[in-house]
């Protein structure tokens, strides 16, 4: 009972605080609803980026994977810092100079309107079939485990998960539909730092308990119990071989942190370039610290439970929470986890609404429509997508290699083709609109065939790398026969102040050095 009360209390506090901060905001304009009025600061951007990225698919999925595979999966996190450096120094200054609201807008300026529409539709589909359902389902797993929803309601576990999915989906929709990006960002800031504190508390309390009051002694015991779990260099037949860092992984990271609407929309809403760069580089620091929250607990779980839960690895984190946290704190942490679910869910809904309203509806159905009507369309889009996500969520159950691995495999369907044409657009002037469109469809078809139909015996991240090279070849070949017919469109309008943050380069160097140091210090630990 006390757990439920603390959960409800913290959830209501976040909702009230978000309402209080937004009560005077003008949310009926395009920039006000979709970009938070271009007023976001570095701290808010970093908190929102972290929580948009880190949700229960990480808490549940990555801890489940580290329980089984150890620290080799750290590559998903620490290499993000390198991509965030690229975003801060190169990509975001260009986006802000162009005054972009969505990433597909860039594709129209660089290629043509058809490319923009195609990518917008690709992104909408990817939100519905990959991220939204997995976020909802992993959130439901966590809340069902902590509160025993099925037992309380006297229904089956499957029905309990369904009920939880619907409840979380409705609550998340309310934030995104009625508050826009500013509501998402404000609630994310509280939940983001709550997640950081609460997430750090789980392994710390566990290590203090294991080490009889000394967390370092506890860490030593966990390490001596299974030193192989601390190795960050994945073998060729592992869930994440080390070699993937140099093939498809870096392409994926560049896309995710520099070109992914859901993430980069926070930086697009920055009040100036200084705040955008601060936000991106602060996020890089947080991503290096985040393995303590989403990887170490899984390894601690192996210390406690051995290999008894290998068949059900995605339950390890909820079980660890119940084992190490005092009853009074379980409810607060469950509320923080709920916040993480809501954050990613409502962030994706807001980004999807932004893309559909601006890249599809305004261009094809309402070129002269008012900002007020655009906002209404955005709200309706969020509602429809939320319903679809709720219906699809239970279908992702029982992923053989865990839910996080499934999420990454599904992301590759859309991420790599879009990353290919974005990077080619930025760096290769000879690539034409026809070449970009051909690469989109060739890349998508190639990946689906090799990963899901014929299931070739190559790690899917290596397939990302192969696909990227194939896409470049297709773009060069098609562009040779169908050369570019238009120059890059560049508006000479100053949307925000473009002065560079004075600590951008020192912070960038620091993040690169720390990333390399992690692999040197933890490489081949045994």
């Amino acid at each position: 009972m006390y757990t439920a009360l603390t959960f409800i209390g913290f959830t209501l506090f976040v909702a009230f605080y978000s309402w209080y901060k937004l009560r005077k905001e003008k949310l009926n304009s395009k920039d006000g609803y979709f970009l938070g009025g271009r007023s976001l600061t570095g701290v808010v951007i970093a908190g929102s980026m972290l929580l948009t990225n880190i949700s229960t698919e990480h808490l549940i999925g990555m801890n489940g994977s580290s329980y089984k595979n150890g620290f080799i999966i750290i590559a998903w996190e620490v290499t993000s810092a390198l991509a965030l450096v690229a975003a801060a120094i190169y990509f975001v200054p260009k986006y802000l100079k162009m005054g972009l609201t969505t990433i597909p807008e860039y594709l129209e300026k660089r290629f043509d309107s058809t490319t923009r529409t195609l990518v917008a539709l690709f992104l909408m589909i990817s939100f519905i079939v990959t991220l939204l359902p997995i976020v909802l389902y992993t959130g439901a797993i966590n809340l069902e485990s902590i509160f025993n929803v099925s037992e309380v309601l006297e229904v089956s576990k499957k029905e309990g998960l369904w009920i939880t999915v619907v409840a979380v989906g409705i609550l998340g929709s309310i934030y995104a539909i009625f508050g826009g990006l500013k509501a998402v960002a404000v609630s994310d800031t509280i939940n983001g730092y709550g997640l950081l504190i609460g997430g750090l508390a789980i392994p710390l309390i566990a290590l203090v308990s294991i080490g009889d009051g000394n967390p370092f002694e506890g860490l030593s015991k966990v390490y001596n119990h299974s030193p192989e779990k601390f190795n960050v260099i994945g073998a060729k037949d592992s869930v994440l071989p080390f070699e993937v860092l140099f093939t498809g992984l870096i392409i994926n990271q560049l896309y995710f942190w520099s070109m992914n609407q859901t993430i980069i929309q926070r930086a697009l809403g920055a009040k100036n370039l200084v705040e955008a760069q601060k936000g991106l580089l602060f996020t890089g620091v947080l991503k290096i610290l985040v393995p303590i929250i989403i990887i170490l607990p899984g390894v601690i779980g192996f210390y406690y439970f051995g290999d008894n839960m290998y068949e059900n690895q995605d339950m390890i984190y909820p079980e660890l929470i119940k084992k190490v946290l005092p009853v009074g704190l379980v409810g607060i942490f469950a509320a923080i986890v709920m916040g993480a679910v809501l954050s990613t869910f409502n962030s994706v809904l807001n980004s999807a609404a932004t893309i559909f309203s601006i890249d599809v509806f305004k261009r094809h159905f309402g070129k002269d429509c008012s900002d007020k009507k655009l906002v209404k369309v955005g709200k309706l889009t969020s509602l429809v997508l939320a319903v679809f996500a709720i219906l699809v969520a239970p279908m992702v159950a029982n992923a053989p290699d865990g839910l996080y691995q499934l999420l990454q495999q599904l992301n590759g369907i859309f991420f790599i083709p879009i990353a290919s044409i974005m990077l080619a657009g930025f760096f290769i002037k000879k690539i034409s609109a026809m070449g970009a469109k051909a690469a989109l469809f060739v890349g998508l078809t190639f990946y689906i065939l090799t990963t899901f139909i014929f299931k070739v015996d190559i790690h899917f991240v290596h397939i990302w790398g192969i696909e990227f090279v194939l896409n470049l070849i297709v773009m060069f070949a098609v562009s040779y026969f169908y050369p570019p017919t238009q120059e890059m469109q560049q508006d000479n309008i100053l949307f925000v102040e473009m002065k560079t943050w004075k600590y951008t380069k020192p912070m960038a160097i620091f993040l690169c050095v720390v990333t390399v140091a992690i692999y040197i210090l933890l490489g081949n630990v045994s």
Side-chain angles (χ1 to χ4, degrees):
M1 183 66 181
Y2 185 70
T3 299
L5 287 174
T6 54
F7 170 81
I8 293 166
F10 190 83
T11 303
L12 288 175
F13 164 72
V14 174
F16 175 78
Y17 180 80
S18 300
W19 167 81
Y20 181 78
K21 294 289 284 185
L22 290 168
R23 69 194 190 286
K24 295 179 182 177
E25 293 286 337
K26 295 178 181 178
L27 298 175
N28 57 357
S29 70
K30 184 180 76 169
D31 279 359
Y33 186 78
F34 296 120
L35 289 180
R38 294 190 190 273
S39 63
L40 304 184
T41 61
V43 171
V44 171
I45 290 167
S48 189
M49 274 189 164
L50 179 73
L51 210 64
T52 298
N53 173 229
I54 303 298
S55 187
T56 43
E57 80 275 12
H58 285 77
L59 290 171
I60 299 287
M62 285 201 81
N63 276 308
S65 185
S66 67
Y67 162 70
K68 198 170 184 178
N69 305 294
F71 265 78
I72 60 172
I73 61 166
I74 200 173
W76 290 117
E77 296 308 305
V78 296
T79 57
S80 300
L82 304 179
L84 282 156
V85 166
I89 292 175
Y90 182 80
F91 292 100
V92 167
K94 287 188 176 295
Y95 297 152
L96 292 179
K97 195 173 181 182
M98 287 186 262
L100 299 183
T101 305
T102 72
I103 294 302
E105 273 184 87
Y106 163 76
L107 293 170
E108 180 171 18
K109 292 174 185 289
R110 172 60 180 86
F111 295 116
D112 63 10
S113 60
T114 308
T115 308
R116 174 181 179 176
T117 303
L118 282 172
V119 168
L121 292 173
F122 276 19
L123 289 171
M124 298 289 289
I125 295 167
S126 75
F127 292 150
I128 297 170
V129 302
T130 58
L131 188 55
L132 287 173
I134 288 177
V135 167
L136 277 182
Y137 189 73
T138 51
I141 287 175
N142 209 51
L143 295 171
E144 153 68 25
S145 175
I146 290 171
F147 293 112
N148 296 316
V149 175
S150 52
E151 289 182 21
V152 172
L153 299 178
E154 297 181 349
V155 295
S156 69
K157 201 140 196 163
K158 188 176 180 180
E159 289 171 326
L161 282 169
W162 255 105
I163 293 166
T164 313
V165 162
V166 172
V168 173
I170 291 171
L171 196 54
S173 306
I174 291 169
Y175 273 99
I177 292 168
F178 295 106
L181 181 65
K182 194 73 178 276
V184 173
V186 169
S187 60
D188 283 0
T189 305
I190 307 171
N191 284 318
Y193 294 105
L195 180 67
L196 203 59
I197 295 166
L200 287 169
I202 300 294
L204 182 61
I205 293 170
L207 292 175
V208 166
S209 174
I210 293 167
D212 299 319
N214 185 336
F216 298 105
E217 179 63 27
L219 185 61
S220 177
K221 284 184 179 180
V222 173
Y223 172 80
N224 290 327
H225 178 261
S226 49
E228 72 284 354
K229 295 282 185 185
F230 286 81
N231 181 23
V232 297
I233 308 294
K236 287 186 178 180
D237 60 348
S238 68
V239 71
L240 197 67
F242 179 67
E243 293 80 10
V244 302
L245 271 70
F246 309 100
T247 57
L249 186 61
I250 195 63
I251 306 298
N252 177 76
Q253 300 290 51
L254 275 175
Y255 171 79
F256 190 84
W257 293 103
S258 303
M259 306 165 204
N260 180 358
Q261 180 73 27
T262 307
I263 294 293
I264 214 68
Q265 191 166 337
R266 279 109 197 88
L268 298 182
K271 66 195 300 184
N272 52 44
L273 178 58
V274 168
E275 296 301 327
Q277 290 178 321
K278 278 183 189 177
L280 289 161
L281 294 170
F282 288 166
T283 306
V285 174
L286 294 173
K287 287 297 285 182
I288 285 172
L289 296 173
V290 138
I292 300 171
I293 297 173
I294 60 176
I295 295 177
L296 180 58
V299 176
I300 294 172
F302 184 79
Y303 175 87
Y304 277 125
F305 303 107
D307 59 6
N308 295 327
M309 296 182 69
Y310 269 11
E311 295 300 314
N312 202 8
Q313 67 186 59
D314 290 319
M315 288 303 297
I316 196 71
Y317 193 66
E319 290 302 313
L320 188 65
I321 290 172
K322 289 194 289 187
K323 185 171 183 66
V324 306
L325 273 189
V327 173
L329 293 179
V330 171
I332 293 175
F333 190 71
I336 292 169
V337 169
M338 177 75 150
V341 180
L342 295 179
S343 167
T344 302
F345 187 70
N346 58 33
S347 296
V348 174
L349 284 183
N350 183 261
S351 295
T354 306
I355 289 170
F356 181 80
S357 303
I358 292 168
D359 295 313
V360 179
F361 182 83
K362 185 174 176 64
R363 292 189 57 258
H364 297 287
F365 305 106
K367 290 183 179 179
D368 300 317
C369 71
S370 64
D371 278 12
K372 196 171 182 179
K373 185 170 183 180
L374 266 187
V375 170
K376 281 185 179 178
V377 170
K379 290 179 178 181
L380 183 60
T381 304
S382 294
L383 180 61
V384 172
L385 286 181
V387 171
F388 269 101
I390 290 168
L391 293 174
V392 173
M395 299 179 190
V396 303
N398 304 318
D401 292 318
L403 288 165
Y404 189 77
Q405 199 79 346
L406 172 65
L407 174 65
Q408 296 298 350
Q409 283 182 306
L410 291 172
N411 278 341
I413 298 172
F414 302 98
F415 282 12
I416 304 303
I418 297 171
S420 302
I421 68 168
M422 288 285 294
L423 289 169
F426 273 113
F427 297 109
I428 309 171
K429 287 185 177 180
K430 292 181 179 179
I431 300 301
S432 68
M434 185 63 75
K437 288 192 279 282
L440 275 177
F441 287 103
V442 169
L444 185 143
T445 305
F446 170 80
Y447 184 73
I448 291 174
L449 288 174
T450 53
T451 305
F452 299 105
I453 296 177
F454 298 116
K455 297 182 180 179
V456 297
D457 191 20
I458 302 174
H459 195 281
F460 71 90
V461 180
H462 283 316
I463 293 176
W464 291 352
I466 295 167
E467 180 189 346
F468 179 72
V469 173
L470 173 64
N471 288 345
L472 287 178
I473 292 169
V474 168
M475 280 187 276
F476 274 115
V478 174
S479 298
Y480 178 79
F481 293 103
Y482 298 92
T485 57
Q486 69 174 45
E487 291 290 320
M488 170 77 180
Q489 299 172 29
Q490 181 66 60
D491 300 321
N492 293 314
I493 304 169
L494 193 63
F495 291 91
V496 294
E497 187 183 342
M498 293 301 295
K499 183 182 175 183
T500 300
W501 185 37
K502 63 181 178 180
Y503 297 114
T504 295
K505 286 186 179 177
M507 280 287 288
I509 292 168
F510 168 75
L511 289 172
C512 292
V513 169
V514 171
T515 302
V516 173
I518 287 170
Y519 277 92
I520 292 172
L521 294 173
L522 293 178
N524 292 315
V525 170
S526 60

